[in-house]
Amino acid sequence: EKGGYDHFMLKEIHEQPRAITDTLRGRLLVDEAIIKLSGLENNMKRFLNAERIIIVACGTSWHAGLVGEYIFEDFVRIPVEVEYASEFRYRNPVITERDVVIAISQSGETADTLAAIKLARSKGAFVFGICNVVGSSITRENDSGAYTHAGPEIGVASTKAFTTQITVLLMMALRLARAKGTMSSADYRMNLQELQLIPSKMEQLLSIDENIKEIAREYMLSTNCLYLGRGYNFPVALEGALKLKEISYIHAEGYPAAEMKHGPIALIDDRMPVIVIATSKGHYEKVVSNIQEIKSRKGKIIAIVTEGDTTVKDIADHTIEIPEVSEAFTPLLTTIPLQLLSYHIAVMRNCNVDQPRNLAKSVTVE
Ligand code: F6R
């Protein structure tokens, strides 16, 4: 059942190229330059008339929503708010009929997300669900939606659900960008091609597992860890930190890299590993200067860089390379080494990777 892997989590990490291919199947038609998501197509007017998009979710799905904010604002030029479902529903939020709410949930059973959907619909908003489990409660409460088609996710720590959620968000934003005319047809076609190539680039990335294991061995006894990223990769830093804390029980925090000097930098000493996402697109020089600041305080640096990088390589203690992609697609790749790093550290610490203490796969109580 684990397909030869020691844990479901590792199996599911390695399934991601396949899962994304399934998410794209029949929807991304590169030759025709078409994206076909019937749940979106059938409600195009609601999306085109939307004054803003509110994304509601919890945990890892909320991190996917944050990536969605960057994607939608960038591609579709529409304001996006990303909300923890639990805060949104109890805040007396301002919701109107011109809002489109996107609810993201792997299980489709998360109580707070479900309640947020009901609240939004009662105020006249249009609710679109991105779920993995077919026929789950959330899929029945939505106005419309799209499945991620990641296949069953058994490991409690979410992996392939996250990257397939981002894949659906990318497809939605690309389709809407064409419909609204916020993206040139040349850029649109280029993006479709990039999306098509993601599974094979992921496959390539997954083959460096041994390298990540060595890094894991060096840091398995850490008590704290800091994750930094900017722009599209700020949410990936949050997700990397969440993966580490939930399965290895090491305290970890994710931060936008530029916020480091507003507090977290005080934590840095020679026992603090800092995982920095420093891909070549998107504020690269600024992240490099953050890396220098960490180095001069003797922090240990594990950097995720783009293939061929030399600048960061010279400074960092370890570098992990990802294949070149344009910025909006980087989260799909930068996530992979962070999942593997958490996995190996947790295994080395003898933690129950697939069923971490105190956690349940779906949180059906608030
Ligand atoms: C983290 C994790 C949780 C879930 C959260 C939302 O690895 O699995 O943070 O992401 O409980 O669950 P869904 O997506 O089922 O609504």
Side-chain angles (χ1 to χ4, degrees):
E1 53 181 358
K2 290 181 199 149
Y5 291 99
D6 291 343
H7 299 93
F8 282 109
M9 184 182 178
L10 189 61
K11 172 175 177 264
E12 288 159 7
I13 290 172
H14 280 272
E15 267 172 6
Q16 288 173 108
R18 171 108 312 253
I20 288 179
T21 303
D22 290 342
T23 307
L24 298 175
R25 180 167 298 115
R27 293 160 156 183
L28 171 67
L29 308 171
V30 177
D31 294 341
E32 293 98 317
I34 288 173
I35 286 176
K36 259 197 331 210
L37 287 163
S38 53
L40 177 59
E41 228 49 61
N42 298 341
N43 298 285
M44 198 44 99
K45 263 221 181 91
R46 285 304 289 251
F47 278 92
L48 294 179
N49 290 334
E51 279 170 356
R52 70 175 168 168
I53 290 174
I54 304 169
I55 300 179
V56 295
C58 303
T60 289
S61 298
W62 182 77
H63 295 153
L66 279 181
V67 176
E69 176 175 23
Y70 287 84
I71 297 170
F72 272 84
E73 294 203 344
D74 212 3
F75 290 6
V76 197
R77 308 303 299 148
I78 184 167
V80 178
E81 285 168 32
V82 189
E83 306 269 0
Y84 286 117
S86 55
E87 287 299 313
F88 178 77
R89 62 179 286 208
Y90 285 117
R91 194 185 62 218
N92 191 15
V94 179
I95 310 169
T96 77
E97 288 160 17
R98 303 291 293 273
D99 290 324
V100 166
V101 171
I102 300 177
I104 308 177
S105 175
Q106 187 286 127
S107 63
E109 300 296 345
T110 301
D112 281 318
T113 309
L114 195 55
I117 291 171
K118 289 182 183 161
L119 174 67
R121 287 191 73 191
S122 76
K123 309 267 185 199
F126 178 80
V127 180
F128 187 96
I130 299 177
C131 293
N132 193 43
V133 177
V134 176
S136 53
S137 305
I138 289 178
T139 66
R140 286 181 272 116
E141 290 294 335
N142 287 326
D143 291 298
S144 178
Y147 284 113
T148 41
H149 296 307
E153 192 180 62
I154 311 288
V156 164
S158 189
T159 53
K160 61 178 180 172
F162 178 67
T163 45
T164 54
Q165 286 163 351
I166 294 173
T167 304
V168 170
L169 290 163
L170 278 164
M171 283 194 286
M172 290 176 72
L174 285 167
R175 175 67 190 97
L176 288 170
R178 273 320 280 152
K180 286 194 91 161
T182 49
M183 183 181 284
S184 73
S185 118
D187 285 351
Y188 172 73
R189 280 170 184 272
M190 210 186 57
N191 281 315
L192 296 197
Q193 273 162 10
E194 284 226 55
L195 192 49
Q196 175 100 321
L197 290 174
I198 290 294
S200 66
K201 290 186 173 167
M202 247 184 195
E203 199 79 67
Q204 180 190 337
L205 187 52
L206 282 161
S207 68
I208 60 164
D209 204 12
E210 277 307 310
N211 170 18
I212 294 174
K213 232 179 183 165
E214 274 168 40
I215 301 174
R217 196 160 293 118
E218 203 162 317
Y219 296 100
M220 62 173 280
L221 296 176
S222 302
T223 46
N224 292 284
C225 232
L226 196 58
Y227 286 74
L228 302 177
R230 267 185 101 120
Y232 279 96
N233 283 294
F234 154 54
V236 177
L238 297 182
E239 173 60 9
L242 178 61
K243 280 303 79 109
L244 187 71
K245 57 190 139 185
E246 67 182 332
I247 63 169
S248 75
Y249 318 139
I250 294 173
H251 171 243
E253 284 193 64
Y255 259 95
E259 276 291 307
M260 187 179 71
K261 56 172 71 69
H262 299 283
I265 197 165
L267 292 167
I268 293 174
D269 63 16
D270 59 1
R271 281 167 309 159
M272 176 66 103
V274 186
I275 292 98
V276 190
I277 304 162
T279 48
S280 65
K281 314 245 166 61
H283 322 292
Y284 176 73
E285 283 78 21
K286 295 203 156 81
V287 177
V288 170
S289 74
N290 290 136
I291 291 175
Q292 278 155 342
E293 286 160 4
I294 301 162
K295 190 71 194 174
S296 64
R297 286 160 184 83
K298 301 196 167 56
K300 296 280 180 285
I301 297 155
I302 302 161
I304 316 289
V305 299
T306 308
E307 247 166 21
D309 179 282
T310 51
T311 312
V312 174
K313 231 179 198 156
D314 285 345
I315 321 169
D317 297 271
H318 312 270
T319 51
I320 299 168
E321 293 191 342
I322 65 151
E324 172 103 46
V325 277
S326 59
E327 201 190 352
F329 299 90
T330 53
L332 292 173
L333 299 182
T334 52
T335 298
I336 306 283
L338 302 190
Q339 293 170 343
L340 287 168
L341 186 65
S342 306
Y343 171 78
H344 289 303
I345 290 178
V347 170
M348 287 168 192
R349 289 165 70 97
N350 276 322
C351 296
N352 187 346
V353 172
D354 282 335
Q355 277 184 307
R357 67 186 183 204
N358 311 336
L359 290 174
K361 185 63 186 162
S362 49
V363 184
T364 53
V365 292
E366 55 174 276

